[in-house]
Amino acid sequence: MSENIYADELIDEYEHPHNKGSLSDADVHVHNDNPLCGDELTIYVKVGGGALKDVKFEGSGCVISMGTAGKLTESVKGKSLAEIEALGVPDIVTLIGIDPGPARLKCATLSLRTLKEAVFLYQHKAVDEATKRL
Ligand code: FES
């Protein structure tokens, strides 16, 4: 697929997002923003049996940050917490199908950083360095 098709998919996800909203029975939620852009995001997670049972997000921002949040939350349902801890920038680039470039990388990784922080928080673990750098 060409990058244009992936860009169209991201715009479609932005306009019709998966998993938008809050989770009233969430185990944890984490809020983050991107101070350079003003985009902000809260991710709610529900865990069961060492895996992500449900995940939702609320927030506002650009096509890249919000479109990626919809795609990411949809892709991680049912994954183990260890699998989520291992996700990084290459996984986000693969997921959205476009290289956001250095100027927009933080926009694309806002949801991954927030999701991983929620997974660490649930386990009462310190956030690792790789996640802090996202
Ligand atoms: Fe959306 Fe950067 S412009 S997070």
Side-chain angles (χ1 to χ4, degrees), residues 13-50:
E13 184 67 42
Y14 174 78
E15 292 175 344
H16 311 284
H18 288 91
N19 308 310
K20 190 87 188 272
S22 63
L23 270 183
S24 58
D25 61 344
D27 291 307
V28 293
H29 67 275
V30 170
H31 178 84
N32 269 321
D33 61 16
N34 189 338
L36 291 176
C37 319
D39 294 24
E40 52 97 22
L41 177 75
T42 303
I43 285 192
Y44 303 83
V45 301
K46 179 80 184 159
V47 177

Side-chain angles (χ1 to χ4, degrees), residues 34 37 39 62 65 104 107:
N34 189 338
C37 319
D39 294 24
C62 63
S65 68
R104 304 298 300 277
C107 312

Side-chain angles (χ1 to χ4, degrees), residues 38-118:
D39 294 24
E40 52 97 22
L41 177 75
T42 303
I43 285 192
Y44 303 83
V45 301
K46 179 80 184 159
V47 177
L52 206 59
K53 280 179 69 178
D54 204 0
V55 54
K56 286 190 180 289
F57 75 98
E58 292 179 316
S60 61
C62 63
V63 169
I64 291 186
S65 68
M66 295 296 117
T68 305
K71 279 181 159 280
L72 177 66
T73 51
E74 191 62 10
S75 74
V76 293
K77 280 186 198 168
K79 283 199 186 301
S80 72
L81 301 188
E83 285 177 299
I84 294 167
E85 283 184 31
L87 294 174
V89 170
D91 301 294
I92 289 294
V93 172
T94 300
L95 180 71
I96 64 176
I98 54 174
D99 182 350
R104 304 298 300 277
L105 189 57
K106 294 274 185 199
C107 312
T109 57
L110 176 63
S111 54
L112 180 59
R113 174 165 59 98
T114 307
L115 172 67
K116 290 179 74 175
E117 286 181 7

